[in-house]
Amino acid sequence: MKYIYSIIKADYLQRTRSYSFLITLAITIYAAYSFVPPPTASYTTLNVVGYKGIYNSAWVGHVSAMMTTIMLSLYGFFLINGGIKKDVDTGIGQIIATTPITNFGYLLSKFLSNFFVLLTISALTFLISIVMFFVRTSGSPFIIGDFILPFLFFAIPALFTVSALAIVAEVFLGRRLILQYIIFFFLFGALMANVVGHKSSTVNTFIDTFGVNTMTNSVKDKVNTQYHEHIDAVNLGFTFSAKHRFKTFEWDGISWTGIFIASRLMWICIAFGLVYFSSSFFHRFDFKQAAGKKKKALAPANISHTNGTFAAGINVSLLPPVVTDYSIFPFVKTELLLLIRKGPKWFWLVNGGLWISMVFVKLDIAYAYLLPILLFLQVTRWSELATKEVTNRLHYFTWSSYKPLQRMLPSQLLAAFTMAVALALPVILRSAAAGNIYSVFNIINGAAFLVLLAASLGIVSGGKKLFKILFFFITYLITQKIPLTDYLGALPHDSPIGFISIMLMLNVFLGAVSFSVRSWQVRHL
């Protein structure tokens, strides 16, 4: 156990001391605050059409716990993913492989470290939910059990499951990060679609990883019983809608049954089982290469100079003169090639398939669904836009070059923007052919926003994980038709001019942050 404890402690401290974790905590604080909206808000987090729950302990505690479970499961995978990869990149894995710790012991330590990182964030939202109870309610008694039990039965099993999935993804998919993201994206959607709106049953209770079905059915039964209604659906999540008259009801929470508790224990056991199963396939940092694939370095030939002529017969005077070019276009070309060549070549077949699909499917589907997904598939490319120099320790050279702020950073932004526009070209041309110049401008403006967001978050946080988390979160909410995250302008907005103005101001702000922080970094190199 001493080896497992040491790895858990070191890994947990390393993760929680990063800028991406601190910024994630800040985002979590704001999210937890928004889980319990004020009565005058234009959105709800648990919506029953025509009805509204009273903010008592049960309502605030259960809604906060469920929203925390879903949101943290959604972006927590990106936060904790990469623990094994970091040990490979730093060489620590080879040292660990020489210790007596078993494969299962090592993976178990990484698994528990992942869980404790997510549990730390969940504990913060738990405390904020209690604070929000006293802020939003008046007169309702405070019952601590209505906060502890939902977080215990909703969040803990889900966080165990997500932590185990992160380990399984790294063991079986290795460095194929984009495949890990795609598979998790569809797996998360399948888990949610498999339980939302279904009737209460023992089978549905056990396959409900997050406990969504149990909670929504309890709320639905309360409204149907009290008002003799036949409501079939309860929407959980941020729902934006116009204000209408509603009836209030007081919900006392879920009746915790033995079957439900058993289902939570089952998911915890499944999580440990997945880690144990993965240990049989873990490489233990043994990366053997075929001897035939290794290229022997040629010994440099002895070179002597005689009157400007090399011994090998090369005449220096015949070589072309060195031409100095201080424009940014060679850098733009280089950055564009780096973006294109990033990742496996076969993945461009997937990109090409989506790109061609946007030519033939309905324009609204291509605009609202296929284009955001296609842009998200390039997340590994966008995330390293302004961080690859630091990652590869080349920033000492590039930041000390001639005018790095006027040449290096603009070339990276221009290359990424060019690629984003090229990927969105089918939708742009079809919108222009339909005479919808507003959509064309929004797509171009959204492409600039995506590039500037990747650059600014990478420069500020010093890593790529924060952008991956936020971009996945934004893409998922776009597919759920949440206008607040619609950076491409695919959804209807109350004020089109206002939306354009907001996006332009965001782009200016992100650009200013990118250049100002990078300027400070260059001066303090």
Side-chain angles (χ1 to χ4, degrees), residues 190-202:
L191 290 174
M192 292 295 296
N194 195 42
V195 296
V196 174
H198 290 194
K199 295 181 179 181
S200 298
S201 66
T202 302

Side-chain angles (χ1 to χ4, degrees), residues 120-151:
T120 302
I121 301 176
S122 179
L124 179 63
T125 60
F126 170 78
L127 296 176
I128 295 175
S129 67
I130 295 177
V131 173
M132 294 307 300
F133 169 80
F134 292 102
V135 172
R136 295 282 189 247
T137 63
S138 59
S140 298
F142 174 71
I143 304 174
I144 188 63
D146 287 336
F147 292 86
I148 295 178
L149 293 179
F151 275 88

Side-chain angles (χ1 to χ4, degrees), residues 9-276:
K9 179 181 177 181
D11 197 54
Y12 176 81
L13 292 177
Q14 188 273 332
R15 291 169 185 261
T16 54
R17 290 172 177 174
S18 63
Y19 286 113
S20 60
F21 179 81
L22 296 178
I23 297 175
T24 303
L25 277 184
I27 296 174
T28 302
I29 292 174
Y30 177 77
Y33 168 81
S34 64
F35 290 162
V36 188
T40 57
S42 60
Y43 71 94
T44 59
T45 50
L46 196 152
N47 182 43
V48 184
V49 178
Y51 297 90
K52 189 172 184 179
I54 296 174
Y55 282 179
N56 56 7
S57 291
W59 184 272
V60 176
H62 284 70
V63 171
S64 297
M66 181 54 66
M67 291 297 295
T68 299
T69 300
I70 295 176
M71 304 301 286
L72 195 54
S73 299
L74 183 61
Y75 68 77
F77 178 85
F78 296 86
L79 179 64
I80 61 178
N81 181 264
I84 299 176
K85 178 179 179 296
K86 183 175 290 294
D87 287 347
V88 173
D89 295 338
T90 58
I92 295 177
Q94 284 79 358
I95 299 176
I96 294 176
T98 62
T99 64
I101 191 171
T102 62
N103 286 352
F104 176 67
Y106 172 76
L107 295 182
L108 180 65
S109 64
K110 288 293 182 179
F111 163 64
L112 293 178
S113 174
N114 292 343
F115 172 72
F116 288 138
V117 170
L118 297 181
L119 186 63
T120 302
I121 301 176
S122 179
L124 179 63
T125 60
F126 170 78
L127 296 176
I128 295 175
S129 67
I130 295 177
V131 173
M132 294 307 300
F133 169 80
F134 292 102
V135 172
R136 295 282 189 247
T137 63
S138 59
S140 298
F142 174 71
I143 304 174
I144 188 63
D146 287 336
F147 292 86
I148 295 178
L149 293 179
F151 275 88
L152 180 64
F153 292 137
F154 290 155
I156 299 300
L159 299 186
F160 266 114
T161 304
V162 173
S163 300
L165 290 176
I167 297 297
V168 173
E170 285 203 83
V171 170
F172 288 98
L173 296 177
R175 294 179 176 271
R176 300 177 181 89
L177 294 179
I178 191 62
L179 279 182
Q180 297 180 31
Y181 300 155
I182 294 173
I183 293 175
F184 177 76
F185 182 86
F186 285 103
L187 179 61
F188 182 87
L191 290 174
M192 292 295 296
N194 195 42
V195 296
V196 174
H198 290 194
K199 295 181 179 181
S200 298
S201 66
T202 302
V203 175
N204 289 334
T205 300
F206 274 92
I207 65 175
D208 185 6
T209 312
F210 309 116
V212 177
N213 193 47
T214 301
M215 178 175 171
T216 54
N217 281 331
S218 177
V219 174
K220 180 177 61 177
D221 293 341
K222 174 64 178 178
V223 175
N224 291 339
T225 301
Q226 182 173 343
Y227 290 98
H228 305 287
E229 291 280 1
H230 298 281
I231 296 174
D232 295 327
V234 176
N235 297 321
L236 184 65
F238 291 94
T239 304
F240 294 82
S241 59
K243 297 180 180 180
H244 300 287
R245 299 187 56 154
F246 54 84
K247 299 177 182 179
T248 60
F249 65 96
E250 186 171 3
W251 181 59
D252 297 326
I254 297 175
S255 297
W256 308 107
T257 63
I259 294 177
F260 182 79
I261 296 175
S263 70
R264 302 301 92 196
L265 294 175
M266 183 198 71
W267 281 106
I268 294 177
C269 294
I270 289 176
F272 280 96
L274 288 174
V275 176
Y276 182 77

